[in-house]
Amino acid sequence: MRELLKKLSETHGPSGREQQIARLITGEIRDYVDEVFTDTLGNLYAVKRGNGTKVMVAAHMDEIGIIVTFIEEKGFLRFSNIGGVSPYILLGQKVVFANGTVATVGMEKLEDIKKLAFDKMYLDIGAGSREEAAANVRIGDIATYYRELTFSGSRAIGKAMDNRAGCAVLVNAIRELEKTDNEIYAVFTIQEEVGLRGSRTSSYRLNPELGLAVDVTPAGDTPEPPVAMDVYLGRGPAIKVKDASVICHPRLKELLLELTEQEGIPCQLEVLQAGGTDAGAIHLSREGIPSAVISIPCRYVHTPGEMVDITDMQNAVRLLKSFLSHPLEMQKIFPCFLT
Ligand code: ZN
Ligand code: CO
């Protein structure tokens, strides 16, 4: 798990530029599934065939980033955000482009730090002129945090735990899963961070009977946490009740809870007030697809120092395997919404 997570974390893959990360995941999963394919937008599908219930499990593979908007005469680059990037967290960081070009994030003189915004900031790749800068970086190139993944006991610290932690859980669950009746589509989705875009098109394409997303959720166990959450690192995966994008199907949520009890898997319940995940798009696909979410608790989401607990990820793998190998008989799970 640690080795895989490190590779996934350190690989470049901002929204809309998921090719490198898709290649890595393909290599990790290909030998364990019946088929791997991509679609025109870049979603990556890994299929385990079966005659039973058709299940889509989504883990978004994109990460947040910044995009070059303008190259100045002296070679400094102006930029905008791709997904939820905070100027305060970005300031002073190193960022890296797909071609390996590294930049420092600087800022103009500011009387009031509260006025810090992207238009007061720039990237410095060490170029002395616009021409020199343009030889390495073009308008529209996207950079991500430049950060190694490190471990401290059971904790992993690095960039893009949102959602490479989810990708690692899904890859490992698929690798370890014995043959079942269920027809399982593991989908590594694109562009979640800019509005659940890949999950919208991939769920339409697959038209599954059940949907599940694996993603991180903010933990509320730090001093004066920015979000009040009853979710803790190291207490197991969180089963989502709701966020701003989805109210998880109650029957599916209860089934996940039952499975944790049966298998003795530690778990927590999650209510996230803001933010969303791929299940937000999946459950609204076509006539509606009952969907749930397994969340990995994560501190400092959308910073280069995102922290997850490896044991939570291992327990998420156990829960996911248990769910995917369960006889997911639709008539039994959903006899009638009124009963
Ligand atoms: Zn995410
Ligand atoms: Co995110």
Side-chain angles (χ1 to χ4, degrees):
M1 179 70 94
R2 287 172 188 245
E3 206 187 314
L4 175 64
L5 184 62
K6 186 170 169 66
K7 275 193 274 183
L8 288 166
S9 167
E10 292 173 4
T11 298
H12 186 81
S15 311
R17 301 287 186 277
E18 292 94 350
Q19 202 177 21
Q20 283 184 35
I21 187 74
R23 264 198 217 116
L24 172 66
I25 294 170
T26 301
E28 297 292 336
I29 208 165
R30 179 186 275 142
D31 294 344
Y32 303 85
V33 292
D34 298 314
E35 195 187 349
V36 175
F37 61 93
T38 56
D39 63 23
T40 50
L41 293 189
N43 290 301
L44 175 67
Y45 305 72
V47 194
K48 280 192 116 132
R49 299 249 174 257
N51 301 315
T53 301
K54 191 172 180 181
V55 189
M56 169 177 174
V57 191
H60 73 85
M61 59 181 167
D62 62 313
E63 64 186 300
I64 56 171
I66 51 175
I67 182 164
V68 175
T69 55
F70 189 87
I71 306 179
E72 301 212 333
E73 211 55 60
K74 288 184 174 165
F76 298 101
L77 316 172
R78 298 293 182 164
F79 63 89
S80 170
N81 62 305
I82 296 286
V85 180
S86 157
Y88 299 99
I89 285 159
L90 192 60
L91 188 63
Q93 293 292 337
K94 278 205 251 184
V95 296
V96 63
F97 290 91
N99 66 2
T101 301
V102 173
T104 291
V105 183
M107 68 165 185
E108 301 170 5
K109 182 180 172 190
L110 268 184
E111 299 298 338
D112 181 0
I113 191 69
K114 282 189 186 138
K115 296 209 169 113
L116 185 66
F118 295 131
D119 62 1
K120 303 278 184 243
M121 301 165 76
Y122 56 84
L123 305 180
D124 185 349
I125 60 167
S129 67
R130 175 184 279 164
E131 291 65 39
E132 209 183 312
N136 295 293
V137 176
R138 289 186 307 168
I139 301 295
D141 283 358
I142 303 176
T144 62
Y145 290 123
Y146 181 78
R147 187 60 68 101
E148 252 181 38
L149 186 77
T150 51
F151 295 96
S152 174
S154 65
R155 305 266 156 101
I157 307 169
K159 77 162 177 80
M161 294 297 95
D162 176 14
N163 181 33
R164 306 296 161 65
C167 293
V169 164
L170 183 50
V171 167
N172 274 333
I174 293 293
R175 281 177 172 182
E176 294 171 19
L177 192 67
E178 316 260 319
K179 176 112 182 93
T180 73
D181 278 348
N182 301 317
E183 171 111 328
I184 297 159
Y185 288 85
V187 188
F188 299 90
T189 59
I190 56 157
Q191 299 184 34
E192 188 270 355
E193 297 290 357
V194 289
L196 323 180
R197 296 177 189 172
S199 53
R200 190 181 312 171
T201 57
S202 54
S203 58
Y204 182 88
R205 173 179 183 141
L206 295 178
N207 193 17
E209 287 164 276
L210 294 176
L212 190 73
V214 185
D215 202 343
V216 301
T217 198
D221 59 354
T222 53
E224 302 290 330
V227 278
M229 295 276 291
D230 203 18
V231 170
Y232 307 80
L233 250 63
R235 294 197 192 170
I239 296 167
K240 191 186 289 284
V241 180
K242 83 166 279 275
D243 61 24
S245 72
V246 62
I247 295 171
C248 292
H249 198 290
R251 294 257 161 83
L252 221 41
K253 180 204 73 177
E254 290 303 321
L255 173 60
L256 285 170
L257 271 174
E258 278 166 33
L259 293 171
T260 61
E261 272 163 38
Q262 277 172 31
E263 312 254 340
I265 302 169
C267 80
Q268 352 183 23
L269 283 170
E270 170 209 347
V271 175
L272 174 62
Q273 296 180 44
T277 183
D278 277 342
I282 298 168
H283 85 292
L284 293 180
S285 190
R286 296 180 185 249
E287 303 113 275
I289 293 160
S291 300
V293 182
I294 297 175
S295 297
I296 300 150
C298 181
R299 290 180 186 162
Y300 323 117
V301 174
H302 289 192
T303 77
E306 291 177 331
M307 185 187 290
V308 297
D309 195 299
I310 299 290
T311 63
D312 291 337
M313 293 175 61
Q314 287 162 339
N315 284 316
V317 170
R318 289 174 66 199
L319 176 56
L320 187 51
K321 276 163 52 187
S322 166
F323 176 79
L324 293 175
S325 53
H326 191 76
L328 297 168
E329 293 156 88
M330 297 297 285
Q331 298 301 325
K332 275 196 187 155
I333 309 174
F334 307 100
C336 167
F337 217 107
L338 299 177
T339 57

mmCIF file of all heavy atoms in Angstrom, residues 222-253:
data_model
loop_
_atom_site.group_PDB
_atom_site.id
_atom_site.type_symbol
_atom_site.label_atom_id
_atom_site.label_comp_id
_atom_site.label_asym_id
_atom_site.label_seq_id
_atom_site.Cartn_x
_atom_site.Cartn_y
_atom_site.Cartn_z
ATOM 1 N N THR A 222 -8.317 18.178 14.396
ATOM 2 C CA THR A 222 -7.162 19.054 14.602
ATOM 3 C C THR A 222 -7.607 20.250 15.455
ATOM 4 O O THR A 222 -8.812 20.481 15.605
ATOM 5 C CB THR A 222 -6.633 19.543 13.241
ATOM 6 O OG1 THR A 222 -7.719 20.116 12.496
ATOM 7 C CG2 THR A 222 -6.027 18.408 12.438
ATOM 8 N N PRO A 223 -6.653 21.050 16.014
ATOM 9 C CA PRO A 223 -7.049 22.190 16.841
ATOM 10 C C PRO A 223 -7.932 23.178 16.067
ATOM 11 O O PRO A 223 -7.570 23.567 14.964
ATOM 12 C CB PRO A 223 -5.704 22.840 17.210
ATOM 13 C CG PRO A 223 -4.691 21.753 17.046
ATOM 14 C CD PRO A 223 -5.196 20.881 15.949
ATOM 15 N N GLU A 224 -9.059 23.533 16.631
ATOM 16 C CA GLU A 224 -9.997 24.478 15.987
ATOM 17 C C GLU A 224 -10.115 24.188 14.495
ATOM 18 O O GLU A 224 -9.763 25.023 13.648
ATOM 19 C CB GLU A 224 -9.527 25.926 16.190
ATOM 20 C CG GLU A 224 -9.369 26.351 17.642
ATOM 21 C CD GLU A 224 -10.706 26.480 18.356
ATOM 22 O OE1 GLU A 224 -11.710 26.798 17.695
ATOM 23 O OE2 GLU A 224 -10.737 26.244 19.569
ATOM 24 N N PRO A 225 -10.631 23.018 14.138
ATOM 25 C CA PRO A 225 -10.628 22.627 12.716
ATOM 26 C C PRO A 225 -11.486 23.564 11.869
ATOM 27 O O PRO A 225 -12.495 24.076 12.348
ATOM 28 C CB PRO A 225 -11.231 21.227 12.732
ATOM 29 C CG PRO A 225 -12.047 21.173 13.966
ATOM 30 C CD PRO A 225 -11.349 22.038 14.958
ATOM 31 N N PRO A 226 -11.056 23.798 10.624
ATOM 32 C CA PRO A 226 -11.821 24.672 9.729
ATOM 33 C C PRO A 226 -13.230 24.156 9.456
ATOM 34 O O PRO A 226 -14.136 24.939 9.218
ATOM 35 C CB PRO A 226 -10.995 24.692 8.435
ATOM 36 C CG PRO A 226 -9.835 23.781 8.633
ATOM 37 C CD PRO A 226 -9.828 23.265 10.018
ATOM 38 N N VAL A 227 -13.398 22.828 9.463
ATOM 39 C CA VAL A 227 -14.744 22.269 9.330
ATOM 40 C C VAL A 227 -15.053 21.407 10.547
ATOM 41 O O VAL A 227 -14.226 20.597 10.958
ATOM 42 C CB VAL A 227 -14.919 21.422 8.047
ATOM 43 C CG1 VAL A 227 -15.193 22.306 6.852
ATOM 44 C CG2 VAL A 227 -13.708 20.557 7.786
ATOM 45 N N ALA A 228 -16.232 21.625 11.122
ATOM 46 C CA ALA A 228 -16.653 20.811 12.271
ATOM 47 C C ALA A 228 -17.109 19.456 11.763
ATOM 48 O O ALA A 228 -18.144 19.345 11.126
ATOM 49 C CB ALA A 228 -17.787 21.518 13.004
ATOM 50 N N MET A 229 -16.285 18.436 12.017
ATOM 51 C CA MET A 229 -16.596 17.094 11.516
ATOM 52 C C MET A 229 -16.333 16.099 12.621
ATOM 53 O O MET A 229 -15.316 16.175 13.312
ATOM 54 C CB MET A 229 -15.645 16.724 10.362
ATOM 55 C CG MET A 229 -15.768 17.566 9.125
ATOM 56 S SD MET A 229 -17.067 16.984 8.066
ATOM 57 C CE MET A 229 -16.403 15.428 7.487
ATOM 58 N N ASP A 230 -17.246 15.131 12.760
ATOM 59 C CA ASP A 230 -17.053 14.075 13.741
ATOM 60 C C ASP A 230 -16.315 12.907 13.071
ATOM 61 O O ASP A 230 -16.756 11.770 13.111
ATOM 62 C CB ASP A 230 -18.423 13.631 14.272
ATOM 63 C CG ASP A 230 -18.316 12.985 15.647
ATOM 64 O OD1 ASP A 230 -17.281 13.187 16.317
ATOM 65 O OD2 ASP A 230 -19.248 12.270 16.039
ATOM 66 N N VAL A 231 -15.192 13.240 12.453
ATOM 67 C CA VAL A 231 -14.402 12.242 11.715
ATOM 68 C C VAL A 231 -12.948 12.357 12.154
ATOM 69 O O VAL A 231 -12.418 13.464 12.278
ATOM 70 C CB VAL A 231 -14.519 12.464 10.182
ATOM 71 C CG1 VAL A 231 -13.525 11.604 9.419
ATOM 72 C CG2 VAL A 231 -15.939 12.168 9.704
ATOM 73 N N TYR A 232 -12.322 11.210 12.421
ATOM 74 C CA TYR A 232 -10.989 11.178 13.025
ATOM 75 C C TYR A 232 -10.053 10.295 12.220
ATOM 76 O O TYR A 232 -10.456 9.228 11.736
ATOM 77 C CB TYR A 232 -11.084 10.617 14.456
ATOM 78 C CG TYR A 232 -12.103 11.332 15.302
ATOM 79 C CD1 TYR A 232 -13.455 11.022 15.186
ATOM 80 C CD2 TYR A 232 -11.711 12.335 16.182
ATOM 81 C CE1 TYR A 232 -14.404 11.694 15.944
ATOM 82 C CE2 TYR A 232 -12.652 13.011 16.950
ATOM 83 C CZ TYR A 232 -14.006 12.683 16.816
ATOM 84 O OH TYR A 232 -14.943 13.359 17.559
ATOM 85 N N LEU A 233 -8.797 10.708 12.123
ATOM 86 C CA LEU A 233 -7.787 9.857 11.499
ATOM 87 C C LEU A 233 -7.572 8.624 12.370
ATOM 88 O O LEU A 233 -7.496 8.736 13.593
ATOM 89 C CB LEU A 233 -6.459 10.618 11.372
ATOM 90 C CG LEU A 233 -6.030 11.001 9.949
ATOM 91 C CD1 LEU A 233 -7.045 11.959 9.362
ATOM 92 C CD2 LEU A 233 -4.648 11.629 9.935
ATOM 93 N N GLY A 234 -7.484 7.466 11.721
ATOM 94 C CA GLY A 234 -7.156 6.247 12.445
ATOM 95 C C GLY A 234 -8.343 5.506 13.029
ATOM 96 O O GLY A 234 -8.184 4.463 13.646
ATOM 97 N N ARG A 235 -9.565 6.042 12.842
ATOM 98 C CA ARG A 235 -10.738 5.338 13.366
ATOM 99 C C ARG A 235 -11.514 4.624 12.269
ATOM 100 O O ARG A 235 -12.695 4.334 12.407
ATOM 101 C CB ARG A 235 -11.656 6.313 14.103
ATOM 102 C CG ARG A 235 -11.012 6.859 15.353
ATOM 103 C CD ARG A 235 -12.043 7.479 16.266
ATOM 104 N NE ARG A 235 -11.407 8.253 17.321
ATOM 105 C CZ ARG A 235 -12.056 9.059 18.141
ATOM 106 N NH1 ARG A 235 -13.376 9.187 18.039
ATOM 107 N NH2 ARG A 235 -11.408 9.726 19.082
ATOM 108 N N GLY A 236 -10.854 4.398 11.150
ATOM 109 C CA GLY A 236 -11.476 3.627 10.073
ATOM 110 C C GLY A 236 -12.083 4.511 9.005
ATOM 111 O O GLY A 236 -12.199 5.729 9.173
ATOM 112 N N PRO A 237 -12.473 3.875 7.876
ATOM 113 C CA PRO A 237 -13.106 4.640 6.808
ATOM 114 C C PRO A 237 -14.410 5.254 7.296
ATOM 115 O O PRO A 237 -15.034 4.739 8.220
ATOM 116 C CB PRO A 237 -13.370 3.583 5.725
ATOM 117 C CG PRO A 237 -13.373 2.278 6.442
ATOM 118 C CD PRO A 237 -12.425 2.433 7.586
ATOM 119 N N ALA A 238 -14.806 6.366 6.683
ATOM 120 C CA ALA A 238 -16.082 6.995 7.016
ATOM 121 C C ALA A 238 -17.107 6.619 5.960
ATOM 122 O O ALA A 238 -16.802 6.605 4.769
ATOM 123 C CB ALA A 238 -15.911 8.503 7.090
ATOM 124 N N ILE A 239 -18.304 6.281 6.424
ATOM 125 C CA ILE A 239 -19.415 6.015 5.508
ATOM 126 C C ILE A 239 -20.210 7.302 5.422
ATOM 127 O O ILE A 239 -20.716 7.800 6.428
ATOM 128 C CB ILE A 239 -20.264 4.835 6.016
ATOM 129 C CG1 ILE A 239 -19.409 3.562 6.007
ATOM 130 C CG2 ILE A 239 -21.523 4.678 5.172
ATOM 131 C CD1 ILE A 239 -20.010 2.398 6.755
ATOM 132 N N LYS A 240 -20.266 7.861 4.213
ATOM 133 C CA LYS A 240 -20.887 9.173 4.058
ATOM 134 C C LYS A 240 -22.395 9.100 4.183
ATOM 135 O O LYS A 240 -23.030 8.211 3.624
ATOM 136 C CB LYS A 240 -20.502 9.772 2.699
ATOM 137 C CG LYS A 240 -20.879 11.244 2.569
ATOM 138 C CD LYS A 240 -20.641 11.794 1.172
ATOM 139 C CE LYS A 240 -19.198 11.959 0.799
ATOM 140 N NZ LYS A 240 -18.536 13.124 1.410
ATOM 141 N N VAL A 241 -22.956 10.015 4.938
ATOM 142 C CA VAL A 241 -24.410 10.163 4.998
ATOM 143 C C VAL A 241 -24.826 11.203 3.965
ATOM 144 O O VAL A 241 -25.722 10.978 3.163
ATOM 145 C CB VAL A 241 -24.875 10.589 6.404
ATOM 146 C CG1 VAL A 241 -26.392 10.743 6.441
ATOM 147 C CG2 VAL A 241 -24.385 9.598 7.454
ATOM 148 N N LYS A 242 -24.138 12.350 3.994
ATOM 149 C CA LYS A 242 -24.397 13.365 2.962
ATOM 150 C C LYS A 242 -23.239 14.341 2.848
ATOM 151 O O LYS A 242 -22.441 14.485 3.781
ATOM 152 C CB LYS A 242 -25.691 14.126 3.261
ATOM 153 C CG LYS A 242 -25.538 15.269 4.255
ATOM 154 C CD LYS A 242 -26.746 16.204 4.260
ATOM 155 C CE LYS A 242 -26.770 17.231 3.167
ATOM 156 N NZ LYS A 242 -26.022 18.456 3.436
ATOM 157 N N ASP A 243 -23.182 14.996 1.698
ATOM 158 C CA ASP A 243 -22.369 16.206 1.544
ATOM 159 C C ASP A 243 -23.195 17.168 0.696
ATOM 160 O O ASP A 243 -24.411 17.000 0.579
ATOM 161 C CB ASP A 243 -20.981 15.897 0.971
ATOM 162 C CG ASP A 243 -21.014 15.267 -0.412
ATOM 163 O OD1 ASP A 243 -22.011 15.451 -1.143
ATOM 164 O OD2 ASP A 243 -20.038 14.579 -0.777
ATOM 165 N N ALA A 244 -22.561 18.166 0.101
ATOM 166 C CA ALA A 244 -23.339 19.156 -0.656
ATOM 167 C C ALA A 244 -23.757 18.634 -2.021
ATOM 168 O O ALA A 244 -24.566 19.265 -2.705
ATOM 169 C CB ALA A 244 -22.537 20.446 -0.809
ATOM 170 N N SER A 245 -23.233 17.469 -2.423
ATOM 171 C CA SER A 245 -23.533 16.960 -3.765
ATOM 172 C C SER A 245 -24.471 15.758 -3.749
ATOM 173 O O SER A 245 -25.076 15.431 -4.759
ATOM 174 C CB SER A 245 -22.229 16.555 -4.478
ATOM 175 O OG SER A 245 -21.690 15.372 -3.931
ATOM 176 N N VAL A 246 -24.573 15.086 -2.611
ATOM 177 C CA VAL A 246 -25.352 13.838 -2.583
ATOM 178 C C VAL A 246 -25.871 13.543 -1.182
ATOM 179 O O VAL A 246 -25.193 13.835 -0.184
ATOM 180 C CB VAL A 246 -24.494 12.637 -3.084
ATOM 181 C CG1 VAL A 246 -23.288 12.408 -2.189
ATOM 182 C CG2 VAL A 246 -25.311 11.353 -3.215
ATOM 183 N N ILE A 247 -27.082 13.030 -1.118
ATOM 184 C CA ILE A 247 -27.560 12.376 0.099
ATOM 185 C C ILE A 247 -27.483 10.893 -0.239
ATOM 186 O O ILE A 247 -28.190 10.413 -1.136
ATOM 187 C CB ILE A 247 -29.000 12.799 0.440
ATOM 188 C CG1 ILE A 247 -29.007 14.291 0.776
ATOM 189 C CG2 ILE A 247 -29.536 11.969 1.598
ATOM 190 C CD1 ILE A 247 -30.400 14.893 0.915
ATOM 191 N N CYS A 248 -26.591 10.195 0.425
ATOM 192 C CA CYS A 248 -26.342 8.803 0.036
ATOM 193 C C CYS A 248 -27.593 7.975 0.261
ATOM 194 O O CYS A 248 -28.355 8.214 1.196
ATOM 195 C CB CYS A 248 -25.155 8.249 0.820
ATOM 196 S SG CYS A 248 -23.622 9.046 0.327
ATOM 197 N N HIS A 249 -27.799 6.981 -0.625
ATOM 198 C CA HIS A 249 -29.007 6.177 -0.507
ATOM 199 C C HIS A 249 -29.031 5.472 0.849
ATOM 200 O O HIS A 249 -28.090 4.758 1.192
ATOM 201 C CB HIS A 249 -29.087 5.153 -1.637
ATOM 202 C CG HIS A 249 -30.473 4.619 -1.794
ATOM 203 N ND1 HIS A 249 -31.047 3.793 -0.865
ATOM 204 C CD2 HIS A 249 -31.428 4.856 -2.727
ATOM 205 C CE1 HIS A 249 -32.285 3.499 -1.239
ATOM 206 N NE2 HIS A 249 -32.536 4.147 -2.370
ATOM 207 N N PRO A 250 -30.114 5.656 1.627
ATOM 208 C CA PRO A 250 -30.127 5.112 3.000
ATOM 209 C C PRO A 250 -29.921 3.597 3.056
ATOM 210 O O PRO A 250 -29.224 3.094 3.933
ATOM 211 C CB PRO A 250 -31.496 5.515 3.547
ATOM 212 C CG PRO A 250 -32.285 6.018 2.394
ATOM 213 C CD PRO A 250 -31.314 6.436 1.333
ATOM 214 N N ARG A 251 -30.492 2.873 2.093
ATOM 215 C CA ARG A 251 -30.359 1.412 2.130
ATOM 216 C C ARG A 251 -28.908 0.993 1.879
ATOM 217 O O ARG A 251 -28.394 0.059 2.487
ATOM 218 C CB ARG A 251 -31.275 0.763 1.083
ATOM 219 C CG ARG A 251 -32.725 0.946 1.365
ATOM 220 C CD ARG A 251 -33.330 -0.346 1.937
ATOM 221 N NE ARG A 251 -34.582 -0.058 2.629
ATOM 222 C CZ ARG A 251 -35.763 0.057 2.029
ATOM 223 N NH1 ARG A 251 -35.869 -0.108 0.743
ATOM 224 N NH2 ARG A 251 -36.842 0.326 2.723
ATOM 225 N N LEU A 252 -28.274 1.701 0.990
ATOM 226 C CA LEU A 252 -26.895 1.378 0.638
ATOM 227 C C LEU A 252 -25.952 1.738 1.787
ATOM 228 O O LEU A 252 -25.022 1.004 2.119
ATOM 229 C CB LEU A 252 -26.524 2.165 -0.624
ATOM 230 C CG LEU A 252 -25.714 1.471 -1.704
ATOM 231 C CD1 LEU A 252 -26.154 0.054 -1.947
ATOM 232 C CD2 LEU A 252 -25.794 2.276 -2.993
ATOM 233 N N LYS A 253 -26.217 2.884 2.393
ATOM 234 C CA LYS A 253 -25.440 3.323 3.553
ATOM 235 C C LYS A 253 -25.578 2.307 4.686
ATOM 236 O O LYS A 253 -24.590 1.913 5.309
ATOM 237 C CB LYS A 253 -25.956 4.701 3.997
ATOM 238 C CG LYS A 253 -25.260 5.291 5.194
ATOM 239 C CD LYS A 253 -26.148 6.305 5.909
ATOM 240 C CE LYS A 253 -27.264 5.609 6.648
ATOM 241 N NZ LYS A 253 -28.138 6.484 7.441
#
